[in-house]
Amino acid sequence: MADIWQQTLHWTPTVQQQLQFQRLYEFILEGNRQLNLTRIIDPQEFWEKHLWDSLRGIAPLLKDGVGGENTSSPPSSPLSLIDIGTGAGFPGIPIAICVANFTVTLLDSTRKKISFLEKTKDALELTNIKTLIGRAEEVGQQPQYRQTYDVALIRAVGTASVCAEYALPLLKQGGLAVIYRGNWTEEETKALENAVEQLGGIIESVEEFTTPLSDSIRHCLYLRKVATTPSQFPRPAGVPTQRPL
Ligand code: SAH
């Protein structure tokens, strides 16, 4: 897949990174026996939907190059990221593998998934990963986490307005939320604007792209935090889903 990485993301994984991707795949197959981690187990589908898709979402952050050993680009500046509702570790783990000087916190409300991720992190020797058990609604109100991240990532956790309510409170002013979507329309962008504004953000851009193996359409929404999020957000557990902004 080296050519595709290079053509689409202008990056080639090192031998070490390729081994980490391989071990991640094996760990997830193994973990799937006891935990419902993912339905995607075909190797090519895993590569495209889990590895490639995870990294495509942060392409705008990689414009300066990721500083891998075999690129001539300067290293990316160190950033603090949180992956909200990480599940089996997506998009957070591939990003931590790709960019060693990003610190990635994997957040999930399910203790069993976090235990699995702890083991995976140790086995892959990923010292730039932290894990956190909790609900985004609660973590977002805790002073040690609120307004402390440069980037919040969120894939397949809820509707876009729910994702925005989980993500924006966790960001520093000027920080970026990356919301991964499948299909997305301009009407949906319009409908989301008011919610994002209430949370202190703006919709900076929406990127559409095609996946390299199955030619499927994907979108990523990039929200910039431009003002302090009012203290009532995120609302208590369950409320963002029951009464979306
Ligand atoms: N992001 C992963 C997993 C998506 S499944 C991927 O794209 O493959 C959704 C995950 O979000 C589940 O693991 C679930 O436990 C977690 N989750 C759902 N609501 C949450 C909340 N409010 N706070 C934290 N985690 C949540």
Side-chain angles (χ1 to χ4, degrees):
M1 300 297 186
D3 285 352
I4 308 183
W5 283 125
Q6 193 56 48
Q7 282 157 20
T8 55
L9 295 178
H10 314 294
W11 169 73
T12 309
T14 62
V15 171
Q16 154 99 355
Q17 286 165 329
Q18 287 174 41
L19 283 171
Q20 286 173 315
F21 287 155
Q22 180 66 33
R23 292 216 71 193
L24 175 62
Y25 175 62
E26 289 162 5
F27 252 76
I28 287 179
L29 289 191
E30 179 68 31
N32 245 351
R33 295 183 187 189
Q34 304 192 3
L35 286 171
N36 194 3
L37 292 171
T38 181
R39 285 175 295 112
I40 297 166
I41 53 167
D42 169 73
Q44 296 222 339
E45 217 188 336
F46 182 90
W47 182 86
E48 178 175 69
K49 300 222 166 80
H50 282 330
L51 303 181
W52 187 86
D53 189 64
S54 292
L55 293 179
R56 177 62 184 79
I58 59 151
L61 301 178
L62 304 178
K63 286 231 167 79
D64 301 328
V66 293
E69 274 166 35
N70 52 358
T71 71
S72 53
S73 327
S76 327
S77 49
L79 294 176
S80 165
L81 285 69
I82 184 162
D83 178 10
I84 302 165
T86 186
F90 301 108
I93 296 183
I95 292 171
I97 290 174
C98 174
V99 195
N101 63 346
F102 285 177
T103 306
V104 183
T105 299
L106 305 175
L107 168 67
D108 205 281
S109 52
T110 309
R111 179 174 298 272
K112 281 186 186 162
K113 287 190 182 162
I114 292 294
S115 311
F116 166 81
L117 295 172
E118 282 282 334
K119 283 186 217 136
T120 307
K121 167 200 142 141
D122 291 344
L124 272 59
E125 296 179 45
L126 288 165
T127 51
N128 58 336
I129 285 186
K130 297 179 189 176
T131 55
L132 184 58
I133 305 170
R135 288 195 64 129
E137 298 94 315
E138 284 151 12
V139 171
Q141 288 295 356
Q142 292 165 7
Q144 69 266 44
Y145 304 116
R146 189 179 177 88
Q147 304 225 123
T148 61
Y149 296 95
D150 299 299
V151 180
L153 311 154
I154 184 160
R155 192 180 85 160
V157 175
T159 63
S161 83
V162 169
C163 291
E165 186 165 348
Y166 290 171
L168 283 161
L170 289 163
L171 293 175
K172 294 175 189 166
Q173 188 108 342
L176 190 71
V178 183
I179 303 179
Y180 291 68
R181 309 298 305 177
N183 291 324
W184 188 256
T185 61
E186 261 181 51
E187 292 76 66
E188 288 176 287
T189 302
K190 275 263 160 288
L192 184 65
E193 268 166 9
N194 178 41
V196 171
E197 201 178 312
Q198 286 184 63
L199 294 161
I202 54 162
I203 304 173
E204 191 166 79
S205 61
V206 177
E207 279 196 27
E208 177 177 307
F209 51 87
T210 309
T211 64
L213 300 183
S214 63
D215 284 334
S216 320
I217 301 285
R218 293 274 185 285
H219 293 82
C220 270
L221 320 180
Y222 298 92
L223 315 182
R224 183 72 62 184
K225 180 151 168 177
V226 293
T228 308
T229 302
S231 58
Q232 74 262 34
F233 302 119
R235 293 168 293 165
V239 178
T241 321
Q242 287 151 18
R243 288 193 282 119
L245 287 176

